[in-house]
Amino acid sequence: MVKCRLQRWVFLLVFFFTVFINFSNGHEISLGTKLELIHRHGRNLHNEVQPTSQLERLTQLLQSDTVRINAISQKLSLNHRRRTSTNRRNVQEGTSIYNLACTNGTRIHNLNVSGEMSMNSGADFGTGQYFVHFEVGSPVQKLLLIADTGSDLTWMNCKYRCRGGDKCKRSLNKGGTFQADISSSFRTLPCSSRMCRVKLADLFSLARCPSAKDPCAYDYRYNDGSSALGLFAKEKVTFTLTDGRKARLHNVLVGCSESTNGPSLQIADGIMGLGYSNYSFALRAAKKFGGKFSYCLVDHLSSNNVSSYLIFGSHNDTSLKLNKIRYTELVLGVLPTFYALNIRGISIGGTMLDIPHEVWDVNGLGGTILDSGTSLTSLVPPAYEPVMAALKKSLSNFSNLNLDIGQLQYCFNSTGFDESLVPRLIFHFEDGARFRPAVKSYVIDVDVGVKCLGFVLANWPGPSVIGNIMQQNYFWEFDIKNSRLGFGSSTCI
Ligand SMILES: *[C@@H]1O[C@H](CO)[C@@H](O)[C@H](O)[C@H]1NC(C)=O
Ligand SMILES: *[C@@H]1O[C@H](CO)[C@@H](O)[C@H](O)[C@H]1NC(C)=O
Ligand SMILES: *[C@@H]1O[C@H](CO)[C@@H](O)[C@H](O)[C@H]1NC(C)=O
Ligand SMILES: *[C@@H]1O[C@H](CO)[C@@H](O)[C@H](O)[C@H]1NC(C)=O
Ligand SMILES: *[C@@H]1O[C@H](CO)[C@@H](O)[C@H](O)[C@H]1NC(C)=O
Ligand SMILES: *[C@@H]1O[C@H](CO)[C@@H](O)[C@H](O)[C@H]1NC(C)=O
Ligand SMILES: *[C@@H]1O[C@H](CO)[C@@H](O)[C@H](O)[C@H]1NC(C)=O
């Protein structure tokens, strides 16, 4: 205990001399912060067995895509049923059911959830392809989290309560675990609070409350056997601003996961929730940084000396080599926790494809999501078929190798291939904006001398998902305050 305190004071002293900008409530900051986004295969991440070949890389991405796409579609189909049964009003139903027949990786709830449950509860899929460093606590501890636009709660592997000498001696951040005991800003929430009983029921808080001041606990389960058990807490998060100064965000809701296990949770120290929800870190941080966050993704096959970025607040267009930024409506709160877009259609080589309107209707059975955690783009059959047919036609001189690579339907020997042979694909938004991805974002490199059409089939009814490979070499700005998405081609560096 004595050592623990001593350690704490030494750190407080050190930090006393560090200049912090402390955000007071309601205060916005004009500077931004830029965090490196590390691709799953970009660097040696701890516990991760790196794939040895390009093909193995892609196979891994396809496997996690399958899990994620099923989970997204299941979550939203349940949400849709709920919406229609409540006449589209966001009515919360007192419910103890929620018997989801989960696909792999979906979080299933523990029967002991408290209070009511709305279908706005986020899905922490435990998958995701980009990782980000997170500085949390006082003094700061550094963790590596999955940056996930499909998750609401931000949680981390965590050790709470310094019960005895030995545990206090643990050095900071050993093994990627947040040491809550040595953080002077760590505050648990009482299980008797309304926050715990009602609000956090969305995030699977437990009803168990042996005594009023006990911490509010959660239990997330993923049906691939993974689970995360822990406590809700408020913490301080530290950012490095673009001018090098430090800034801190107070009372950020985080999960302190005391026990996690299972395959999907091994790679990172936790998850950073970038989804659209009242509890997401993205919204909390965006509020302080001008109401927006953005990211810029480089090709996932790029060498290690170039990085993708996650930016809160203002960005430097010059350093991002961002030319022209276009805007389209960001549809918020309709397909929770996701960021949805209003697409009007897809054209290939200047010809608008014949795709029924209901495919794109976010208020109906379809809609489109922009997701950072899915690699490939998935389209529902009425969109998938015409897109594939048009692209295959242009590749008729390159016969299908009929390779068995996940769900990829058309792969060819790329000897003699030239991108100019492929007509350009354009996503047209309802409001007139157009997104014209690079050819290599949909005719993708799969192996030496092998390319494939990078679309997979999604289930209808359900949403289509624009994955992160399609988003590469573009800058994406989630302007929450103005419900709009900005995008522009960029080298990101
Ligand atoms: C979950 O994934 C594992 C391993 O990938 C597989 O063996 C199992 O059948 C899957 N379960 C379901 C319900 O899809
Ligand atoms: C739920 O919690 C109660 C006490 O709060 C406990 O008695 C019961 O066994 C728990 N049920 C499950 C399924 O965990
Ligand atoms: C946040 O909470 C408010 C008030 O409870 C609610 O009206 C709003 O829809 C919520 N927003 C999200 C994104 O869940
Ligand atoms: C990154 O490294 C590659 C070679 O590995 C080199 O060709 C490229 O110019 C480097 N890029 C930058 C931005 O340094
Ligand atoms: C933006 O980046 C460019 C190039 O890196 C740099 O010269 C310029 O000073 C930066 N501007 C600001 C406001 O940081
Ligand atoms: C296929 O190759 C032939 C002969 O080189 C050429 O005339 C034709 O235009 C090519 N077809 C396509 C769709 O590129
Ligand atoms: C592609 O075709 C070339 C020549 O036609 C051949 O040498 C090469 O082995 C083929 N590659 C694959 C992956 O089939």
Side-chain angles (χ1 to χ4, degrees), residues 38 44 52 109 112 133 178 202 283 335 385 415 421 457 465:
I38 305 161
N44 276 332
T52 53
H109 90 303
N112 257 345
H133 288 287
F178 180 71
D202 283 4
L283 266 65
L335 302 179
E385 302 299 345
T415 309
L421 295 169
L457 204 51
V465 177

Side-chain angles (χ1 to χ4, degrees), residues 242 316-320:
T242 42
N316 183 338
D317 294 2
T318 316
S319 73
L320 287 168

